[in-house]
């Protein structure tokens, strides 16, 4: 039965408008995104099959184009739309942080970094620039690389900090492998960055590594 033939109060779109997006299951939310099903299957049916095939919503949202398009009824157009939706979500979150919000909780930092960096297929190095009251001036993804590394230029970080008149920084990068353990290169980079920042009277508050679980704070791990 097509979704349009369902009772009105059971249709995902109508339920979202009446009760909010939080009231819908993963399959129902995905069905709204897909809009239509395929021959003999409603959008909800297709959504359930996709979630089952990928093993959950997160795996689906981080699938490669080839993996996503391999499913019947999926294609480049839907994949492009999905990537656009994900990027809008990241940018919305970044804008919320760029309105002078004060970082008064390490957990707030973790939540943002996890949402922004956790599911990237390549390593990304991000910097949060702060004023002397630890209010956010800017969040920028400054460097990106391959699946196992990104080249970080300390000179560029310092130049940007001076341009923004920043007083302190929080830096972070993701490990696409999902394992949030610091490498010797991570620790060496952090030490070099802090030393360079001290010459300019800037403070390095923390370096987070983002993996599958809670982002790891090098500062809480005993520093570098």
């Amino acid at each position: 039965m097509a979704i349009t033939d369902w009772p009105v109060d059971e249709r995902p779109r109508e339920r979202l408008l009446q009760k909010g997006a939080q009231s819908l299951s993963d399959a129902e939310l995905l069905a709204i995104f897909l809009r239509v099903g395929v021959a003999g299957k409603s959008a909800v049916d297709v959504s359930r099959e996709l979630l089952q095939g990928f093993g959950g919503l997160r795996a689906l949202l981080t699938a490669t184009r080839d993996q996503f398009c391999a499913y019947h009824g999926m294609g480049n157009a839907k994949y492009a739309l999905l990537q656009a939706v994900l990027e809008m979500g990241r940018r919305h979150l970044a804008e919320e942080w760029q309105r002078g919000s004060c970082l008064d909780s390490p957990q707030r930092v973790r939540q943002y970094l996890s949402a922004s960096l956790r599911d990237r297929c390549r390593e990304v190095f991000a910097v949060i620039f702060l004023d002397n009251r630890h209010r956010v001036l800017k969040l920028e993804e400054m460097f990106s690389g391959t699946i196992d590394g990104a080249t970080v230029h300390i000179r560029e970080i310092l130049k940007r900090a001076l341009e923004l008149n920043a007083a302190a920084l929080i830096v972070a990068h993701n490990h696409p492998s999902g394992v949030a353990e610091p490498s010797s290169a991570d620790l060496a980079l952090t030490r070099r960055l802090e030393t360079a920042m001290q010459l300019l009277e800037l403070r390095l508050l923390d370096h987070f590594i983002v993996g599958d679980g809670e982002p790891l704070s090098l500062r809480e791990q005993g520093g570098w």
Side-chain angles (χ1 to χ4, degrees):
M1 181 185 296
I3 292 178
T4 53
D5 295 327
W6 294 9
V8 173
D9 59 357
E10 293 182 14
R11 299 174 193 171
R13 185 180 294 112
E14 282 71 13
R15 285 183 52 222
L16 183 149
L17 294 173
Q18 293 174 1
K19 300 181 180 180
Q22 70 280 359
S23 67
L24 272 61
S25 67
D26 289 349
E28 290 169 329
L29 289 170
L30 185 57
I32 293 176
F33 166 79
L34 294 177
R35 295 182 59 239
V36 296
V38 297
K41 297 177 182 177
S42 70
V44 173
D45 295 329
V46 174
S47 297
R48 287 171 179 157
E49 290 184 1
L50 283 170
L51 292 171
Q52 184 175 11
F54 280 101
L57 186 59
R58 180 185 173 193
L60 170 63
L61 297 179
T62 58
T64 65
R65 182 171 66 173
D66 288 344
Q67 291 171 333
F68 183 83
C69 294
Y71 276 78
H72 178 58
M74 302 302 106
N76 286 329
K78 281 193 172 62
Y79 179 78
L81 180 59
L82 179 61
Q83 296 307 305
V85 169
L86 293 174
E87 184 59 25
M88 283 193 294
R90 293 189 190 103
R91 294 186 187 189
H92 168 72
L93 186 58
E95 282 188 11
E96 288 296 309
W97 275 60
Q98 291 181 33
R99 295 175 182 168
S101 59
C102 183
L103 295 185
D104 53 5
S105 165
Q107 191 58 32
R108 290 189 64 206
V109 181
R110 284 186 166 92
Q111 288 171 351
Y112 168 77
L113 294 174
S114 183
S116 180
L117 301 179
R118 185 180 68 177
D119 294 321
R120 304 295 185 90
C121 61
R122 296 181 182 277
E123 189 166 302
V124 176
F125 190 93
V127 182
I128 305 174
F129 298 93
L130 308 165
D131 67 11
N132 58 6
R133 295 174 61 184
H134 295 177
R135 293 176 300 188
V136 176
L137 297 171
K138 193 80 172 178
L139 296 109
E140 293 189 3
E141 295 178 7
M142 297 199 65
F143 311 103
S144 61
T146 64
I147 194 171
D148 58 0
T151 301
V152 176
H153 301 283
I154 291 176
R155 181 174 178 273
E156 293 301 314
I157 297 173
L158 300 181
K159 178 182 176 182
R160 189 65 174 133
L162 292 175
E163 289 174 348
L164 295 169
N165 197 29
L169 307 181
I170 294 173
V171 300
H173 74 281
N174 63 313
H175 281 180
S177 66
V179 180
E181 289 295 330
S183 65
S184 57
D186 293 335
L187 297 173
L189 169 66
T190 310
R191 287 191 290 266
R192 293 200 310 272
L193 177 59
E194 183 173 50
T195 299
M197 288 176 59
Q198 288 172 345
L199 296 175
L200 299 177
E201 298 184 344
L202 299 170
R203 300 187 307 279
L204 180 61
L205 301 184
D206 211 332
H207 184 171
F208 286 92
I209 300 176
V210 181
D212 281 339
E214 183 105 329
L216 177 74
S217 161
L218 294 189
R219 181 70 74 186
E220 292 179 0
Q221 291 292 308
W224 40 82

